[in-house]
Amino acid sequence: MNKKRIVLECTYCHTMTELRDFSGACPACGEVIVEARYDFNHFDVQTWLAQLPQRGRSLWRYHEVLPLYNTDHIVSLGEGQTPLIKADALGASLGLKHLYIKDERQGPTGSFKDRQATVAISALKEMDVNEVVVASTGNVAIAYAAYGARAGIKLWAFFPSLTPNDKMREAALYGAEIIKTTGNYDQTKVLAAQFAQTKGVFLDRGIKSVAAIEAMKTMAYEIGEQLAQALGGGTPWRAPDWFIQGVSGGMGPIGVGKGFREMYDFGLIDAMPALGIIQSSGCAPMVEAFERKQRVATPVEDPRTIIATLATGNPGRAYELLYDYTEQYGGHFASASDEEAFNAIRILARNEGLSVEPATGVTFAGLFKLVRMGVIRPDDVVVVNCSGHTMPVEKTILGEQWQKLVDLSNVAPAPKVPTEHLVSALEKVDLGDSPHKKRVVVIEDNEAAARLISRIIQSRPEVEVRLAYNGAAGIDLIRAWTPHLVITDLMMPGVDGFTVIETMKNTQELHDIPIVVITAKELTVRERDQLYSQVDMLLQKGTFIDEEFVTSLLSKL
Ligand SMILES: *Cc1c(COP(=O)(O)O)cnc(C)c1O
Ligand SMILES: [Zn+2]
């Protein structure tokens, strides 16, 4: 253990410094992003692989490749080893066969910053630091505050003006000193640095980049192990074709990229993933530079997004590192608006049962775009970093009418409440089942896709949906129920979509019902022409069906 050597390599000038002697920046050029290198003389990959299954379920099972000299200094809350969840419903609607969600919401403080906190706070404990200053948009401070509390390290947390109060309260609960500024994140970082210098308190800056990159790297190791279990393959572990994340400072994908690179060098995987880097369109310096094919980003001075977590206006050299990675191994930068992010949050909650914070909504909105653009292909193995939990649920997402109130104030107090009064109170609640509902039939043989479409449409109170899993059942249902709208797939066993449409057009009572076709089939020119004359809308699968789509559909009825 004491033989372990950890050397930090400057990402700019490649000067090496022993971790022990590191002061927060490269001694030669002042660069703050440095990468840890380990001396692997005493490290045998085969022995390590054989031991892993017996090791504990925290990210410290990879301690040989983490920047800590002595494992006695570990400060842990059981972070890491989060599930890799297969997203079938969302995958079906996007036309993706292998969509996986790395559920980082399940960390001790609800975001993937727990990884960074366990590594950083353990390293600080090893360095005998007992007070630390950090600037944060929220989640880093919450995680540092929790781990700091366990280690007896006092935290001074500086927040930009956009940070939601609930996040600051959470950090305060763990005993951190909370300083809220009226400025943006970049200004807050400068203020925190000045405060640290004046007060002579340790500034988590250099250690932050080392800890962040090394900690985020453990996500790659876990994905490698988990994907091998899920998919198998010719190598001990397996890399996805894509790793997708909503990005602010960029430490997540930089770390994950480094992790896969190490696994590649160990011979554990034989290919590197492409990176899908998503930013909030109100603060997207990386995306803007990428679109101009520039290796250096122009800082955004005045971020215009309410998603504080992603509001780093000046990504600095982190962007160059990510740009270089995508040049070498592939990848794409894309942005999504706040509104698209909130819409994605709803889709994810209703179809996969995952409630995520707005920054993660940006990630999924970006994924939808990359699929629509054809950058991500149907057969690609895709892993999405589900980076943080929504707690509490943002008001903007649910809107006004999310609960139904049963007013009991006019009813006599318990225990004398006659049941019939309660029942009549209940009757006043609008449960939405008026006889004026619009009836929609969905015919689709892929059950996951059928359920997804129906759930999205049924989220509108004025609609009632019924499903048929093949053409024959679909025709029966249409005859019996005369819907206002029919949504059908084309390729189905037995009676296909063409026959359903033909039958409707040849039946007088069904002739005028609008038809929407959703298909993955490559259509011939003739099929396309025929369909255009018969149907109201023709959609390729992979076109994302969201509430906007439903609104436009309903406007046709
Ligand atoms: C920090 C954070 C991000 C952005 O992470 P970086 O890799 O540092 O850009 C995204 N989502 C959540 C929930 C975060 O806390
Ligand atoms: Zn340097």
Side-chain angles (χ1 to χ4, degrees), residues 259-316:
F260 281 112
R261 181 72 228 188
E262 287 177 3
M263 287 154 60
Y264 186 90
D265 292 341
F266 289 146
L268 293 172
I269 55 171
D270 58 8
M272 294 286 288
L275 293 177
I277 295 181
I278 319 297
Q279 294 201 289
S280 169
S281 47
C283 185
M286 296 193 192
V287 182
E288 284 154 23
F290 177 78
E291 282 169 357
R292 291 194 298 261
K293 298 191 165 49
Q294 289 171 341
R295 188 173 175 264
V296 177
T298 308
V300 170
E301 303 282 340
D302 179 21
R304 291 186 185 276
T305 168
I306 60 168
I307 303 177
T309 307
L310 296 188
T312 298
N314 184 2

Side-chain angles (χ1 to χ4, degrees), residues 202-393:
F202 189 91
L203 175 70
D204 167 78
R205 188 183 52 159
I207 192 67
K208 182 167 160 181
S209 87
V210 179
I213 292 171
E214 295 307 287
M216 298 320 180
K217 175 178 99 178
T218 60
M219 253 188 299
Y221 281 84
E222 290 175 17
I223 292 167
E225 275 191 85
Q226 289 169 322
L227 268 187
Q229 284 210 339
L231 295 167
T235 44
W237 288 0
R238 172 127 183 201
D241 298 306
W242 285 91
F243 174 79
I244 317 285
Q245 193 199 296
V247 163
S248 186
M251 291 299 142
I254 290 176
V256 166
K258 181 177 189 261
F260 281 112
R261 181 72 228 188
E262 287 177 3
M263 287 154 60
Y264 186 90
D265 292 341
F266 289 146
L268 293 172
I269 55 171
D270 58 8
M272 294 286 288
L275 293 177
I277 295 181
I278 319 297
Q279 294 201 289
S280 169
S281 47
C283 185
M286 296 193 192
V287 182
E288 284 154 23
F290 177 78
E291 282 169 357
R292 291 194 298 261
K293 298 191 165 49
Q294 289 171 341
R295 188 173 175 264
V296 177
T298 308
V300 170
E301 303 282 340
D302 179 21
R304 291 186 185 276
T305 168
I306 60 168
I307 303 177
T309 307
L310 296 188
T312 298
N314 184 2
R317 287 201 63 253
Y319 169 65
E320 294 174 38
L321 298 174
L322 289 170
Y323 182 84
D324 291 349
Y325 182 102
T326 59
E327 287 280 285
Q328 195 174 354
Y329 302 115
H332 207 91
F333 294 70
S335 63
S337 69
D338 292 6
E339 202 186 334
E340 289 169 325
F342 290 140
N343 196 32
I345 292 174
R346 269 188 294 263
I347 290 171
L348 200 60
R350 288 173 193 190
N351 298 299
E352 296 292 350
L354 301 172
S355 165
V356 302
E357 74 161 86
T360 310
V362 171
T363 313
F364 281 90
L367 167 75
F368 302 163
K369 281 193 181 170
L370 294 182
V371 172
R372 235 179 286 152
M373 288 159 67
V375 172
I376 295 178
R377 315 280 312 160
D379 291 318
D380 287 349
V381 176
V382 180
V383 173
V384 183
N385 180 353
C386 188
S387 54
H389 208 295
T390 292
M391 264 186 306
V393 173

Side-chain angles (χ1 to χ4, degrees), residues 9-17 25-34 317:
E9 179 177 347
C10 172
T11 57
Y12 186 73
C13 75
H14 304 287
T15 296
M16 301 284 196
T17 319
C26 169
C29 75
E31 174 56 42
V32 292
I33 305 185
V34 295
R317 287 201 63 253

Side-chain angles (χ1 to χ4, degrees), residues 41-62:
N41 283 336
H42 305 280
F43 182 74
D44 173 57
V45 175
Q46 292 312 322
T47 317
W48 186 57
L49 279 181
Q51 281 178 1
L52 275 180
Q54 282 91 55
R55 291 196 177 172
R57 292 183 55 80
S58 100
L59 61 76
W60 291 102
R61 69 212 301 268
Y62 310 115

Side-chain angles (χ1 to χ4, degrees), residues 439-443 465-466 468 474 477-478 481 483 485-488:
R439 299 184 295 277
V440 178
V441 164
V442 175
I443 312 172
V465 181
R466 292 201 188 161
L477 180 57
I478 294 167
W481 199 46
L485 175 72
V486 171
I487 301 178
T488 182

